[in-house]
Amino acid sequence: MTNLTQEEIRLAEALSHKAHWRRWGPYLSDRQWGTVREDYSPNGTAWDYFTHDQARSRAYRWGEDGIAGISDNHQRLCFAIALWNGEDSILKERIFGLTGSEGNHGEDVKEYYFYLDNTPTHSYMKALYKYPHKAFPYSQLVAENQRRNRHEPEFELIDIGIFDENRYFDVFIEYAKNSAEDILIQIKVINRGSEAKTLHLLPTLWFRNTWSWNGDTSKPTLKEVESGNGFHLVEAFHPTLAKRWLYCQEANEILFTENETNYQRLFGYSNSSAYVKDGINDYIIQGKKEAVNPNQVGTKASADYFLTIGAGETKIVKLRLSDVPHLVEPFGKEFDRVFWERQQEADNFYQRVTPFPLSEDMRNVQRQAFAGMLWSKQYYHYVIEDWLKGDRNTPAPPPERQQGRNREWFHLYNKDILSMPDKWEYPWFAAWDLAFHTIPLAMIDPDFAKYQLDVLTREWYMHPNGQIPAYEWAFGDVNPPVHAWATWRIYKIEQKIYGRADRQFLERVFQKLMLNFTWWVNRKDTEGNNVFQGGFLGLDNIGVFDRSAALPTGGRIDQSDGTSWMGMYCLNMLAIALELAKTNPVYEDIASKFFEHFLYIADAMNKMGEMEASLWHDSDGFYYDVLHLSERQITLKVRSIVGLIPLFAIETIEPETLQMLPGFKKRLEWFIQNRPDLRQNVACMETKGVGARRLLAIVSRDKLRSILQKMLDESEFFGPYGIRALSRFHAENPYIFDVNGSQFRVDYEPAESSSGLFGGNSNWRGPVWFPVNFILIESLQKFHYYLGDDFKVESPTDSGQMMTLWEVASELSQRLTRIFLQNASGKRPVYGGMQKFQNDPHWQNLILFYEYFHGDNGAGIGASHQTGWTGLVAKLIQQFGEYEAHEAQDREPKIEKDQNAIALT
């Protein structure tokens, strides 16, 4: 690309190590307490072992949290804000929410904060936290949610009325980098209420505690030094970070303590230091002068700004965290100029990413989606060996630990900046979530996106047997194998947007994924018949039974989705192998192997054996799971997304590719001519004419029509805001299965589930989920690419309206995007009946990216900051703008030759 934006220049400098623009970023978690890493209990009760109440007093072992905070990439030095409104019982230092057992639908964050802007190098960042004037109702939130049952909605902070009459502060936190190591910080506090209020604003700098555990690291120091220029100055020294200085504009005072555990408060033991982690809290809230160090030294320091803010008034506080000592005017005209420039550069960068005509509302949604993706980066540190054995200076972990969670992942050593699903509700990497994160990330920072998949397949993550770690609560669980898909998508997206084809990345990850593919074949195909029992597969309560546990019936379940995911995996690996074979003939043989393996999987999915029930149910025209018992097989006739996932396994091969790869072509032609028993169950392997395009798919043309008839039925899957995870058919026709006097049932539940599976936050029985909808869109586009404009289906079913598959994909994309956009009445479906969000000008343009969405009305449910995979909407908006621009040029749809350019690149 020519005429690079300033942000692209910074990205290039970071890649070449000319300047370490990524060293400082939003790498703090939103929640470190209640995580598996901090859990040293006998029975793995992480939520109870390290609670929110303990967090202000107890030093973390593996990471740090804070409000809209930053740290360096090894999380040695951290910065975030703390607040006190004069009413709360504790300082507001971290985001509060309910634990898994406290919420009536599992863990649940209970505050309002928004990621408004960010750039890939974090040269400019902006976040907003809404802080009530009244005392924060911690106890009320816990008590009311515990009172409610699983059939009732969650009780939210906004339901209490604490924001009525605008009795709150808007606290905007902004960062702008003057250089890679010189970070300007601006905190803008607006009193939205109708009367003056006071506020303690406490920007806080601290070191992660690395010195208390084994005694093998030097203790860093913070101390106040003389500035000589009317502002406060804190000097920070760390042996591996060297010196930094925090310049504080017109603070009342600087308060110092130690980031060390208050054993006296928590456990009744004497403290080793007179100054502990909650010292500043006790000084501000309780007036304990002795709680902070009068010598102005420690490992945690807060600048105290006591602000009186009139009704509607704004107060601005400026700080600067820099590697430059002795700045004479750290907050002069240069400070404001840098902020203005970085904001303009951010605008220019995002205009480059999506240069197409978009409405202001669409661009706002996309920008906040990208911001959420970038703010959700986190320093993730977890060394299983050390965690299992314990540290020298702490009590040994209980012996039960050696037989408990993650013990088989002794090799795992995580110490990286990773993309989190949600830094409060899921502040740990989840393998299949992470694959989806990389798609929007590849649009704006392909190098970071590639790093995510690269590191996940490295030997310090991947198990020696080839399994990819699933997620913190159970690394050995099984997620859908979508990493080859994500690898291929990143490669194509970077190639299209930035003109770079990183074959080294493609080959490096492909080699490791072959190990993972082998693990799947060896571990999840118990009978060796190419039908897979994936287990959990990320879809939580989608089925009749808990797929992570032993079946109450005995036997096994052949999973339609497990087998389909493997078919998709085969084809993704085939596509990569064919690309690599263009420059290295060795990969032709590997491509042939994946081609052959796919034929066997497709055959197993579709055929009717003499003694076996097929996953395809011919009279219903749908795919189902099959329960295998010793004497019979039972088709579990649940109409769920499980039956749509076979659509994901599709790939086309261009005639030009076959001409370039004669070895692979010869092998393909051999199968077509000599193995009719295999090719008959694979969708149309060849078209008429010599050298024509080839299609590989599990779903044939006839099966496709049958599946789409249900998928596009608005009384079944096709909701107004996307494809539901379960057919609405089950609202009046629940699926019921009786086992030894116990009844198992599947009902349509468009919002939170009444099921207690997976901690009570399992919700795949009716809501709309972005990741599976996203791949459905791509699959429909690929089918259209092969079948063309002549292949049309009724959409919606029984509407009399015929559409091409391209038009169906576009309609589905627009239904998903409409979740976030204002409708004709100015309302956003994502916010349902929350009137504050719908009507208040200080709320209505703030976007939250929920985990999933109500199957009927599109309201956001679950984790409120799961930009991780819901951030895929940024890609849908980009594609919408691109094809609207194309149609504006000639008013006729264009089909590009490369299906991967069409399929969401």
Side-chain angles (χ1 to χ4, degrees), residues 1 68 555 633:
M1 299 175 89
Q633 293 81 42

Side-chain angles (χ1 to χ4, degrees), residues 569-588:
Y569 198 174
C570 265
L571 293 181
N572 297 148
M573 293 293 276
L574 171 62
I576 296 172
L578 291 174
E579 177 72 8
L580 294 173
K582 292 176 182 177
T583 55
N584 185 346
V586 169
Y587 284 99
E588 287 193 63

Side-chain angles (χ1 to χ4, degrees), residues 209-220:
N209 189 325
T210 57
W211 57 88
S212 292
W213 319 111
N214 291 299
D216 54 357
T217 59
S218 300
K219 187 175 180 178

Side-chain angles (χ1 to χ4, degrees), residues 539-544 547 638 640-642 725-726 746 764-765:
L539 306 187
D540 294 17
N541 64 337
I542 192 74
V544 183
R547 302 196 297 180
V638 178
S640 75
I641 198 79
V642 165
L726 188 78
V746 176
W764 286 85
R765 293 185 175 178

Side-chain angles (χ1 to χ4, degrees), residues 123-124 174-177 184 186 333-348:
S123 58
Y124 178 69
E174 293 179 273
Y175 302 90
K177 291 183 180 179
L184 315 185
Q186 181 169 274
K333 291 182 179 180
E334 177 200 29
F335 188 97
D336 295 330
R337 177 186 59 79
V338 170
F339 259 99
W340 184 86
E341 287 181 352
R342 296 300 172 267
Q343 290 167 357
Q344 297 303 307
E345 290 162 4
D347 291 344
N348 294 339

Side-chain angles (χ1 to χ4, degrees), residues 256-471:
F256 287 82
T257 189
E258 301 291 343
N259 185 19
E260 296 185 7
T261 298
N262 185 344
Y263 290 98
Q264 180 65 47
R265 174 184 176 253
L266 297 176
F267 311 114
Y269 306 152
S270 60
N271 291 320
S272 58
S273 170
Y275 311 106
V276 287
K277 184 177 178 180
D278 55 12
I280 296 170
N281 175 89
D282 293 351
Y283 175 85
I284 295 291
I285 305 293
Q286 302 172 24
K288 291 185 177 180
K289 304 295 184 183
E290 70 277 12
V292 296
N293 192 337
N295 296 321
Q296 302 295 88
V297 65
T299 49
K300 178 181 179 181
S302 294
D304 181 19
Y305 294 87
F306 183 66
L307 307 175
T308 299
I309 311 175
E313 187 182 7
T314 299
K315 289 288 181 73
I316 296 176
V317 170
K318 297 178 179 180
L319 305 102
R320 188 165 184 164
L321 181 59
S322 180
D323 64 340
V324 181
H326 313 305
L327 288 171
V328 177
E329 293 188 35
F331 310 112
K333 291 182 179 180
E334 177 200 29
F335 188 97
D336 295 330
R337 177 186 59 79
V338 170
F339 259 99
W340 184 86
E341 287 181 352
R342 296 300 172 267
Q343 290 167 357
Q344 297 303 307
E345 290 162 4
D347 291 344
N348 294 339
F349 174 73
Y350 284 112
Q351 183 63 34
R352 168 66 67 88
V353 171
T354 307
F356 317 109
L358 292 176
S359 69
E360 184 178 345
D361 195 25
M362 267 193 168
R363 206 168 284 281
N364 176 52
V365 170
Q366 187 188 53
R367 185 76 166 259
Q368 290 189 53
F370 283 134
M373 296 296 308
L374 295 171
W375 271 101
S376 294
K377 291 182 180 181
Q378 182 182 310
Y379 172 77
Y380 186 83
H381 186 28
Y382 190 18
V383 181
I384 293 289
E385 181 177 5
D386 295 347
W387 181 76
L388 288 172
K389 291 181 177 179
D391 300 309
R392 285 200 299 271
N393 293 350
T394 60
E400 295 92 337
R401 190 180 196 77
Q402 302 305 315
Q403 303 303 317
R405 177 179 288 125
N406 294 333
R407 67 186 183 278
E408 296 177 349
W409 292 79
F410 206 76
H411 71 287
L412 190 138
Y413 191 106
N414 298 163
K415 198 175 184 181
D416 295 286
I417 303 299
L418 298 176
S419 177
M420 299 291 114
D422 177 318
K423 289 203 298 186
W424 195 94
E425 299 213 20
Y426 305 109
W428 26 261
F429 75 87
W432 87 298
D433 299 57
L434 189 57
F436 291 103
H437 301 184
T438 63
I439 305 306
L441 284 170
M443 297 170 62
I444 56 176
D445 191 356
D447 291 311
F448 181 73
K450 288 184 288 188
Y451 178 76
Q452 300 302 287
L453 293 182
D454 185 18
V455 75
L456 198 63
T457 55
R458 292 299 184 100
E459 62 272 19
W460 53 90
Y461 280 73
M462 181 182 280
H463 197 281
N465 65 18
Q467 185 179 8
I468 290 175
Y471 54 98

